[in-house]
Amino acid sequence: MPINEALFAAMKAASYIKPNAGKSYKLQRVAEELIAKQAPANPKCRVEDISAPMADGYAVPLRVFTPLVAYGAPLPEALEESSANDTPVASAISAILPAVLPKVLPKIPIKESTSSGNADGIPGNANTELPSVTPRGTILFFHGGGWTTGGINLYTQACAHMAVRLQRRVISVEYRLAPEYRFPTAVEDCYEVARQLFAGELPISGVGGSVDVDHPQSAAPTAPAGGGDISATIPAPDPASIVLFGDSAGGNLAAAVSLMARDRGEFMPRTQMLLYPVVGNDYNPETSPFESVRTNGTDYILTAQDMADYIDMYRSSVADLTNPYFAPLTAHDLSNQPRTLVLSAEYCPLRDEDEAYARRLQLVNDNVSCYRIHDGIHGYLLNTSAVGLVATTYRIIEHFLDGTPLEPAPGTGTTANAPEGGDAWQDVLGTD
């Protein structure tokens, strides 16, 4: 469906103004940290920082979000003011900040947190007296950012909203980033965290304990800081209740972890959800087999050139391009994979490869669903103007996870789309 003309013009201008990812990823990280500092706390969710030790001595920081109230339940009056808005607030403006950041950085006011919290500004609400709920399961979340940016700070509010909306514990993973750490470091970090989760081995710090996650490349301690009791563990959950979830590069990592788990035999995820995931390896408009690389590869913030830059920063060698743990779409065997939900975005350069991956999975696996989010652009999960798209996405996820009815609904995305009518999503596989 046609996108709103004014929004399209703004996105097109931003796409041409911003530098390519290969030249701007360091400034992008700075911009994202600035944005993360502005996000209000979500008092409906308990937030704790823990870490998972890796074989090489590194400790991967994790942020655990546990819902404290049922979705839609009112807060006590004392906390209503601080709740503000429990939808993701990280703005898509971060995509163009690197172009102007050197000039405006000294002028950007940094909001100081007035709530009690740890050194990273995360709300210290582990003992908040709210009605407790029993989480329906656990979501292991891998963030997006082209394997080079993003992080648990930027995604904190989105993950808190996710935990409350889906009534599940969410564990967000701060895997090591490229190009400082190239393939396969990120996927091995994510795999090992998943293995520890399935085995019930993730250490929890004491209340108020945390690890230093100011920068994803900083050395993390081998055990959680803060003097907490690291002998306590998250009880090993029922494997059926664990969901792997990732957006963009995080979707790539979720898919790769599922393939690794099948091949290594140490555990096996039952469910995975992939939001506009990176599953291919060719973003040259002249050679890509996917039309969306050409039609959506220049004007919608994430460009085909950005994707090519991300691939180059992530890979260690040319041989990685055909490694299924690097590009899952290249896997010769996609059998024995988890129950899968793939969500593509209409104006994303990855749209066609995402839907091709879902079709290939469907050939050899039961329970594969794929929906195209109309009016969606890449990265909308963190876009403040994409409230409608995020709501549509969660309706589909609730349908997939909990079997709630999914009725066709008018488009309500970033563009207040389809004023003449039309649905907010399309069932690509025709499974519903």
Side-chain angles (χ1 to χ4, degrees), residues 12 17 51 54 122 141 173 189 216 232 237 258 281 288 304 335 357-358 385 422:
K12 185 173 182 178
I17 291 173
S51 64
M54 299 293 106
I122 302 305
F141 181 76
V173 181
D189 283 352
S258 293
N281 59 13
S288 172
S335 64
Y357 190 65
S385 65

Side-chain angles (χ1 to χ4, degrees), residues 371-412:
Y371 297 88
R372 179 185 296 182
I373 306 300
H374 287 164
D375 272 6
I377 63 170
H378 192 88
Y380 69 74
L381 184 68
L382 296 183
N383 191 330
T384 51
S385 65
V387 173
L389 297 180
V390 174
T392 294
T393 297
Y394 278 116
R395 284 197 295 271
I396 293 172
I397 289 174
E398 289 165 339
H399 173 68
F400 176 75
L401 292 180
D402 302 324
T404 57
L406 180 62
E407 301 295 335
T412 56

Side-chain angles (χ1 to χ4, degrees), residues 12-33:
K12 185 173 182 178
S15 300
Y16 281 92
I17 291 173
K18 73 179 185 68
N20 292 330
K23 298 178 180 179
S24 65
Y25 72 92
K26 290 183 179 179
L27 284 174
Q28 182 77 17
R29 292 174 182 174
V30 174
E32 289 174 349
E33 287 300 317

Side-chain angles (χ1 to χ4, degrees), residues 112-134:
E112 296 296 334
S113 173
T114 57
S115 61
S116 60
N118 62 27
D120 295 308
I122 302 305
N125 57 0
N127 292 321
T128 300
E129 293 184 3
L130 291 174
S132 61
V133 298
T134 301

Side-chain angles (χ1 to χ4, degrees), residues 115-422:
S115 61
S116 60
N118 62 27
D120 295 308
I122 302 305
N125 57 0
N127 292 321
T128 300
E129 293 184 3
L130 291 174
S132 61
V133 298
T134 301
R136 297 174 183 173
T138 299
I139 293 174
L140 187 62
F141 181 76
F142 308 126
H143 68 79
W147 307 284
T148 67
T149 64
I152 58 178
N153 286 340
L154 184 68
Y155 277 77
T156 285
Q157 199 175 28
C159 287
H161 177 65
M162 186 188 306
V164 176
R165 175 68 189 251
L166 299 179
Q167 292 292 280
R168 286 165 169 83
R169 174 187 288 119
V170 174
I171 302 175
S172 183
V173 181
E174 183 93 314
Y175 55 86
R176 283 172 280 187
L177 299 179
E180 292 88 345
Y181 297 92
R182 293 176 178 266
F183 178 82
T185 300
V187 68
E188 291 288 359
D189 283 352
C190 293
Y191 174 87
E192 177 57 18
V193 171
R195 188 201 65 76
Q196 292 182 32
L197 174 62
F198 274 80
E201 298 174 358
L202 291 182
I204 297 180
S205 64
V207 173
S210 64
V211 294
D212 181 5
V213 291
D214 283 341
H215 194 285
Q217 309 307 323
S218 62
T222 56
D229 176 9
I230 64 172
S231 63
T233 60
I234 295 175
D238 177 356
S241 74
I242 299 175
V243 179
L244 303 187
F245 185 20
D247 71 318
S248 190
N252 167 282
L253 295 169
V257 166
S258 293
L259 290 169
M260 275 187 171
R262 178 202 62 189
D263 296 343
R264 296 180 181 181
E266 295 182 288
F267 65 95
M268 191 61 225
R270 306 287 181 86
T271 307
Q272 65 177 354
M273 303 189 302
L274 316 176
L275 177 58
Y276 36 77
V278 184
V279 291
N281 59 13
D282 183 1
Y283 299 96
N284 183 336
E286 296 182 1
T287 57
S288 172
F290 299 113
E291 187 61 24
S292 61
V293 171
R294 288 175 281 278
T295 57
N296 297 338
T298 57
D299 299 334
Y300 300 96
I301 307 298
L302 178 72
T303 67
Q305 183 59 57
D306 287 335
M307 284 306 309
D309 288 351
Y310 288 137
I311 290 288
D312 284 344
M313 286 189 284
Y314 183 45
R315 69 177 177 85
S316 296
S317 69
V318 174
D320 293 339
L321 297 176
T322 54
N323 186 322
Y325 304 151
F326 183 95
L329 193 57
T330 67
H332 297 297
D333 179 11
L334 289 177
S335 64
N336 299 317
Q337 286 299 278
R339 179 170 176 255
T340 301
L341 172 65
V342 177
L343 294 166
S344 65
E346 182 176 9
Y347 295 107
C348 173
L350 310 181
R351 182 196 65 206
D352 293 350
E353 70 181 59
D354 293 345
E355 295 170 7
Y357 190 65
R359 292 188 181 97
R360 282 201 56 204
L361 282 171
Q362 188 188 39
L363 291 176
V364 289
N365 300 278
D366 294 329
N367 296 322
V368 178
S369 301
C370 180
Y371 297 88
R372 179 185 296 182
I373 306 300
H374 287 164
D375 272 6
I377 63 170
H378 192 88
Y380 69 74
L381 184 68
L382 296 183
N383 191 330
T384 51
S385 65
V387 173
L389 297 180
V390 174
T392 294
T393 297
Y394 278 116
R395 284 197 295 271
I396 293 172
I397 289 174
E398 289 165 339
H399 173 68
F400 176 75
L401 292 180
D402 302 324
T404 57
L406 180 62
E407 301 295 335
T412 56
T414 57
T415 63
N417 61 348
E420 302 86 10

